[in-house]
């Protein structure tokens, strides 16, 4: 155990850093995707609602490991070989970010949609009756209230996404799980290696959820 | 008070359907400048829907609605511009819960570029004073009583300096002892010559303040006239029946 920490500690910490980087990149784009499709889902326009629903259904209906293989191997193969004339290659980080962003984005879209719909329709009506446009009313009145109710579910989704980065070890991104596999292969100390990795995840996620709780409490002041 | 030469709202053959349910059937009426019109009738008679059609919160299925010279059902009309001139007060107040009282009042004027933040704040304070709530400027809606919320809603609408005010059962969600304070503000508005259309169950208020009373039932205007005519000497069977039940 001690030997793993002293010899492989820096390597595992670096891997944890890459896990966090991947999670942050994924979350960042997932928020944009989620907000976009979530709002598309509440617009008073049938076509927009359908597009949003299809996106959510397709992404939610596919396991992330399949999505990862599809993005990393399938998409370049489609353009380079099947269509031809392209020379696309995605790095594991790029493919991983796309995967996480799509997957987490679909769940975010549902959270955003439900959050917006939980705001009393009277708020929108009152804003519109004053002459504000739909966009102004959304930005200034509805979204700020929706986001407050969304925060706990958002945090939950952040944690799930952070853990989901481990799935991306299958496309060779050197995040924590992938690196730990190498450590195990070198040392044959499975119990110790995976215990250490488990504890590393546990610490990061506990810190994350505790600080998120604090943010949540601060935001609810004056409500 | 009403200036019969200026028509503020003209409604002709208004029809509104929700799916196959016809809620408004061939409604025609006019509201003059400075006139106070009370719309009464049983639940489900279409009176709220009628009111909401006037600023297009509900889109009429057929007919003609002209507000301040603008044909609001026409595609060329920018409804947001028209709404700036029509204040609306709701049964459930609908104050913006994420904003404090002063921001509730200044949001629309500032956001729509009507005036600077300072001017808007200045005017908002005057309006709060008018409804007797100048000390609540920094409170949040959740900290106010129902009557106070409704008075803030009045002030919010007034900050846009509307020509017309629409009231959708403004006292129906209030405790009985708070009804008075809200009616008081409405009376002072009426005295200032504001054009008002009020959906209400307050018969006493209608009799005292209204220039004209419209009785609706089943999606039709059954009877309209002065409070004297409609409330005290109703001609239609249905009106007599309704008034017997509520008075």
């Amino acid at each position: 155990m001690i030997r793993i920490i002293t010899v492989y500690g820096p390597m595992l910490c670096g891997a944890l850093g890459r896990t966090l980087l991947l999670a942050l990149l994924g979350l960042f784009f997932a928020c944009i995707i989620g907000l976009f499709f979530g709002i598309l889902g509440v617009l008073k326009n049938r076509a927009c609602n359908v597009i949003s629903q299809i996106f959510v259904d397709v992404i939610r209906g596919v396991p992330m490991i399949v999505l990862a293989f599809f993005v990393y191997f399938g998409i370049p193969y489609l353009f380079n070989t099947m269509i031809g004339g392209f020379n696309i290659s995605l790095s594991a980080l790029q493919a991983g970010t796309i995967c996480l962003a799509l997957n987490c984005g679909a769940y975010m879209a549902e959270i955003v949609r439900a959050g917006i719909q939980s705001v009393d329709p009277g708020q929108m009506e009152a804003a519109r009756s004053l002459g504000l446009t739909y966009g102004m009313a959304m930005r200034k009145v509805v979204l700020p209230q929706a986001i407050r109710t969304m925060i706990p579910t958002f945090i939950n989704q952040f944690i799930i996404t952070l853990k989901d980065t481990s799935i991306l070890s299958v496309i060779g991104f050197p995040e924590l799980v992938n690196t730990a596999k190498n450590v195990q292969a070198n040392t044959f100390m499975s119990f110790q290696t995976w215990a250490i990795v488990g504890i590393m995840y546990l610490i990061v996620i506990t810190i994350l959820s505790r600080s998120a709780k604090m943010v949540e409490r601060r935001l609810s002041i004056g409500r | 008070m009403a200036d019969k030469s200026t028509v503020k709202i003209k409604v002709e053959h208004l029809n509104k359907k929700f799916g196959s349910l016809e809620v408004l059937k061939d409604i025609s009426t006019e509201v003059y400048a400075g006139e106070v019109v009370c719309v009464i009738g049983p639940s489900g008679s279409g009176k709220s829907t009628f009111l909401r059609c006037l600023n297009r919160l509900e889109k009429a299925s057929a007919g003609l609605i002209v507000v301040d010279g603008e044909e609001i059902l026409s595609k060329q009309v920018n409804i947001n511009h028209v709404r700036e001139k029509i204040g609306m007060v709701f049964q459930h107040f609908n104050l913006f819960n994420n904003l404090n009282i002063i921001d509730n009042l200044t949001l629309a004027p500032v956001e729509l570029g009507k005036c600077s933040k300072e001017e808007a704040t200045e005017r908002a304070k005057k309006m709060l004073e008018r409804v007797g709530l100048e000390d609540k400027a920094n409170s949040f809606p959740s900290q106010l009583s129902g009557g106070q919320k409704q008075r803030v809603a009045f002030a919010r609408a007034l900050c846009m300096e509307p020509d017309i005010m629409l009231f959708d059962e403004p006292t129906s969600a209030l405790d009985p002892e708070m009804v008075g304070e809200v009616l008081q503000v409405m009376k002072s508005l009426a005295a200032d010559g504001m054009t008002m259309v009020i959906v209400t169950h307050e018969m006493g208020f209608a009799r005292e303040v209204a220039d004209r009373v419209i009785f609706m039932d089943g999606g039709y205007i059954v009877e309209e006239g002065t409070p004297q005519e409609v409330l005290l000497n109703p001609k239609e069977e249905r009106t007599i029946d309704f008034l017997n039940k509520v008075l």
Side-chain angles (χ1 to χ4, degrees):
Chain A
M1 189 97 161
I2 302 295
R3 199 171 72 93
I4 292 181
I5 292 172
T6 51
V7 177
Y8 294 100
M11 196 172 147
L12 286 171
C13 284
L16 179 64
R18 283 188 294 277
T19 291
L20 290 173
L21 173 70
L22 181 60
L24 284 178
L25 279 174
L27 281 172
F28 174 74
F29 291 110
C31 284
I32 296 172
I33 291 175
L35 203 58
F36 177 75
F37 282 100
I39 289 178
L40 223 53
V42 294
L43 290 180
K44 276 207 181 93
N45 180 318
R46 197 81 196 101
C48 291
N49 303 161
V50 171
I51 291 170
S52 164
Q53 198 55 54
I54 289 176
F55 170 76
V56 171
D57 285 348
V58 166
I59 299 293
R60 271 207 309 208
V62 176
M64 197 161 95
I65 195 163
V66 175
L67 192 65
F69 285 138
F70 184 77
V71 171
Y72 190 56
F73 298 115
I75 297 289
Y77 177 76
L78 169 71
F79 283 100
N80 301 347
T81 311
M82 287 171 68
I83 299 178
F86 292 90
N87 189 15
I88 292 175
S89 78
L90 290 170
S91 73
L93 179 62
Q94 287 166 339
T97 304
I98 293 172
C99 261
L100 275 185
L102 287 175
N103 188 66
C104 179
Y107 289 96
M108 291 278 214
E110 284 296 274
I111 296 172
V112 170
R113 187 186 56 75
I116 291 174
Q117 285 174 345
S118 76
V119 177
D120 173 15
Q123 297 282 312
M124 175 58 91
E125 281 183 357
R128 296 306 306 277
S129 79
L130 290 164
L132 295 177
T133 63
Y134 182 86
M136 288 174 184
M138 216 27 153
R139 260 187 310 117
K140 295 287 177 177
V141 177
V142 178
L143 277 181
Q145 295 182 53
I147 285 170
R148 277 190 170 183
T149 62
M150 285 187 245
I151 284 171
T153 352
F154 259 141
I155 294 166
N156 200 24
Q157 191 56 46
F158 285 2
I159 291 170
I160 292 171
T161 302
L162 180 61
K163 293 202 279 190
D164 277 354
T165 55
S166 61
I167 294 172
L168 298 167
S169 61
V170 297
I171 55 170
F173 183 71
E175 47 70 66
L176 194 49
V177 169
N178 208 2
T179 308
K181 274 198 221 158
N182 294 337
V183 175
Q184 184 205 7
N186 289 349
T187 62
F188 301 109
M189 289 191 267
S190 331
F191 179 82
Q192 293 90 328
T193 308
W194 293 111
I196 289 169
V197 168
I199 290 167
M200 287 173 85
Y201 273 115
L202 191 61
I203 291 170
V204 170
I205 287 169
T206 308
I207 292 172
L208 189 74
S209 56
R210 286 277 171 270
S211 46
K213 270 272 181 313
M214 261 165 55
V215 173
E216 193 186 328
R217 214 171 300 142
R218 189 160 301 172
L219 277 173
S220 64
I221 291 172
R223 198 173 200 180
Chain B
M1 249 183 300
D3 167 16
K4 292 264 182 187
S5 59
T6 323
V7 176
K8 275 282 180 191
I9 303 174
K10 185 161 92 174
V11 179
E12 277 177 10
H13 307 297
L14 168 63
N15 201 289
K16 171 69 185 171
K17 283 180 192 151
F18 288 113
S20 61
L21 183 70
E22 207 174 8
V23 240
L24 294 177
K25 298 159 192 165
D26 196 27
I27 302 280
S28 296
T29 190
E30 284 179 347
V31 178
Y32 303 103
E35 196 178 18
V36 177
V37 176
C38 282
V39 184
I40 59 169
S43 301
S45 59
K47 48 194 196 310
S48 283
T49 308
F50 166 65
L51 194 74
R52 291 159 60 83
C53 282
L54 297 181
N55 67 353
R56 226 171 80 181
L57 277 184
E58 298 293 353
K59 199 153 189 196
S61 310
L64 177 83
I65 302 175
V66 183
V67 177
D68 253 347
E70 302 258 24
E71 206 181 301
I72 65 164
L73 295 176
S74 132
K75 286 237 188 307
Q76 283 89 41
V77 162
N78 182 339
I79 192 65
N80 295 318
H81 284 310
V82 182
R83 283 177 182 156
E84 287 175 16
K85 292 282 139 214
I86 312 174
M88 184 153 191
V89 172
F90 299 85
Q91 181 177 358
H92 295 288
F93 333 123
N94 298 353
L95 297 184
F96 306 137
N97 296 321
N98 57 320
L99 302 175
N100 68 15
I101 300 309
I102 204 86
D103 289 343
N104 259 278
L105 269 59
T106 57
L107 176 70
V110 172
E111 201 62 18
L112 294 168
K114 296 278 137 196
C115 55
S116 70
K117 179 91 186 160
E118 289 73 32
E119 286 170 320
T121 310
E122 203 56 39
R123 196 192 304 159
K125 282 184 178 153
K126 271 197 205 113
M127 291 305 163
L128 280 181
E129 219 168 291
R130 171 157 191 187
V131 297
L133 290 170
E134 58 275 24
D135 55 326
K136 298 292 182 191
N138 296 314
S139 305
F140 275 83
S142 57
Q143 297 164 321
L144 304 187
S145 73
Q148 290 172 333
K149 281 186 204 173
Q150 196 58 298
R151 280 144 67 199
V152 171
F154 281 33
R156 178 175 68 180
L158 289 173
C159 275
M160 289 299 292
E161 300 183 319
D163 292 340
I164 301 167
M165 291 275 284
L166 308 177
F167 298 85
D168 191 0
E169 302 197 24
T171 57
S172 297
L174 298 176
D175 287 344
E177 50 177 352
M178 288 169 182
V179 170
E181 63 189 65
V182 169
L183 293 183
Q184 201 52 50
V185 179
M186 289 170 72
K187 276 180 203 165
S188 87
L189 271 179
D192 285 356
M194 176 68 75
T195 309
M196 295 158 76
V197 183
I198 306 162
V199 170
T200 188
H201 291 296
E202 296 289 332
M203 298 302 154
F205 174 80
R207 192 159 49 196
E208 195 181 333
V209 180
D211 296 309
R212 186 149 50 98
V213 173
I214 295 178
F215 174 70
M216 283 181 72
D217 187 38
Y220 292 102
I221 292 182
V222 176
E223 193 165 352
E224 65 177 306
T226 64
Q228 284 289 330
E229 292 165 351
V230 178
L231 297 176
L232 301 178
N233 307 296
K235 288 182 209 62
E236 301 289 329
E237 194 70 33
R238 186 65 191 93
T239 318
I240 296 166
D241 189 41
F242 173 75
L243 290 172
N244 277 339
K245 280 183 192 143
V246 296
L247 290 178

